[in-house]
Amino acid sequence: MGIYTNQSISWERYLFFERTFLEYLRYVPLSSNNNDVWSYQLSDLIVNIGSVVDSFFRNLVSSKSLDTFQGIQTHRSNVKNLKIQEFHDIFNVQYGLSNKNVYELKNYVKLSPFDKWTHNGSPFWWTDYNKVKHNRFENRKQATLNSTLHALSALFLLNVASPELIPYLVDIGVIHKMG
């Protein structure tokens, strides 16, 4: 059994969030001049994206591709209590996420959603997501265009880097089989 009973769930969520983000961009263009623009719509979006990223990590802990990862059984038995730092220790080692980039195709801007991710530090968009999640009123200005774009790129990256999802994404033509 794969991570998901239906492997399309995380990809379908990504596509929904992408469409919502693109709709938002009809009113606030994607430009470095607008990176710090915030809105209640972006608050909803970053909280939803962050929640799916969190669920994605928690489900991926059960992946058969991690069976040989040292200490994985301890993480699996404590999956409900894992924090972003433990996810770093598992997934950055396994998948090298902090070295992977996504390109925003409108302006061909390189995004590195996990580039500052360490055992002691979270990606900036993850910090913003958590602040908004825990107090939307006080921290509403953390839900910026830039944070939301990076959160969305992180979810995209997780989808295309996940060994369990790659066959599905190949089947539907999102990625192409190498070799």
Side-chain angles (χ1 to χ4, degrees):
M1 182 168 110
I3 302 172
Y4 302 100
T5 307
N6 180 350
Q7 291 184 326
S8 66
I9 292 171
S10 66
W11 183 248
E12 288 171 4
R13 296 309 303 155
Y14 167 77
L15 291 175
F16 173 78
F17 298 143
E18 181 186 55
R19 281 191 304 270
T20 304
F21 188 71
L22 289 172
E23 180 66 24
Y24 182 83
L25 294 179
R26 291 180 55 208
Y27 305 100
V28 180
L30 191 58
S31 160
S32 59
N33 295 334
N34 294 331
N35 275 350
D36 294 330
V37 169
W38 67 273
S39 73
Y40 294 110
Q41 185 175 3
L42 290 176
S43 292
D44 291 343
L45 194 53
I46 198 169
V47 167
N48 286 326
I49 294 168
S51 176
V52 171
V53 168
D54 185 67
S55 294
F56 196 103
F57 279 135
R58 290 182 197 288
N59 281 283
L60 198 55
V61 168
S62 299
S63 171
K64 290 186 184 295
S65 67
L66 295 174
D67 284 351
T68 60
F69 188 81
Q70 186 174 4
I72 195 63
Q73 293 307 325
T74 302
H75 291 302
R76 286 175 176 164
S77 66
N78 192 35
V79 71
K80 289 183 180 182
N81 298 314
L82 294 178
K83 305 285 185 223
I84 191 75
Q85 292 79 12
E86 287 92 9
F87 294 142
H88 169 272
D89 295 346
I90 300 166
F91 300 111
N92 199 46
V93 169
Q94 193 71 13
Y95 302 123
L97 295 173
S98 65
N99 298 318
K100 296 197 184 311
N101 303 310
V102 174
Y103 289 88
E104 177 271 306
L105 296 179
K106 184 176 189 291
N107 302 307
Y108 204 68
V109 173
K110 180 172 81 170
L111 304 169
S112 304
F114 295 105
D115 71 337
K116 302 264 191 291
W117 193 21
T118 66
H119 177 76
N120 297 317
S122 303
F124 78 93
W125 60 266
W126 183 265
T127 301
D128 291 347
Y129 148 69
N130 267 293
K131 286 179 179 178
V132 174
K133 177 179 76 167
H134 291 293
N135 192 333
R136 286 185 188 220
F137 303 130
E138 185 176 310
N139 298 316
R140 65 189 178 275
K141 292 183 180 180
Q142 302 300 124
T144 65
L145 187 66
N146 191 46
S147 290
T148 306
L149 175 62
H150 277 79
L152 188 61
S153 70
L155 182 57
F156 175 83
L157 188 56
L158 289 174
N159 272 281
V160 299
S162 171
E164 280 78 6
L165 287 172
I166 289 173
Y168 170 73
L169 295 175
V170 168
D171 285 348
I172 64 171
V174 171
I175 58 177
H176 302 284
K177 201 173 192 178
M178 300 299 282

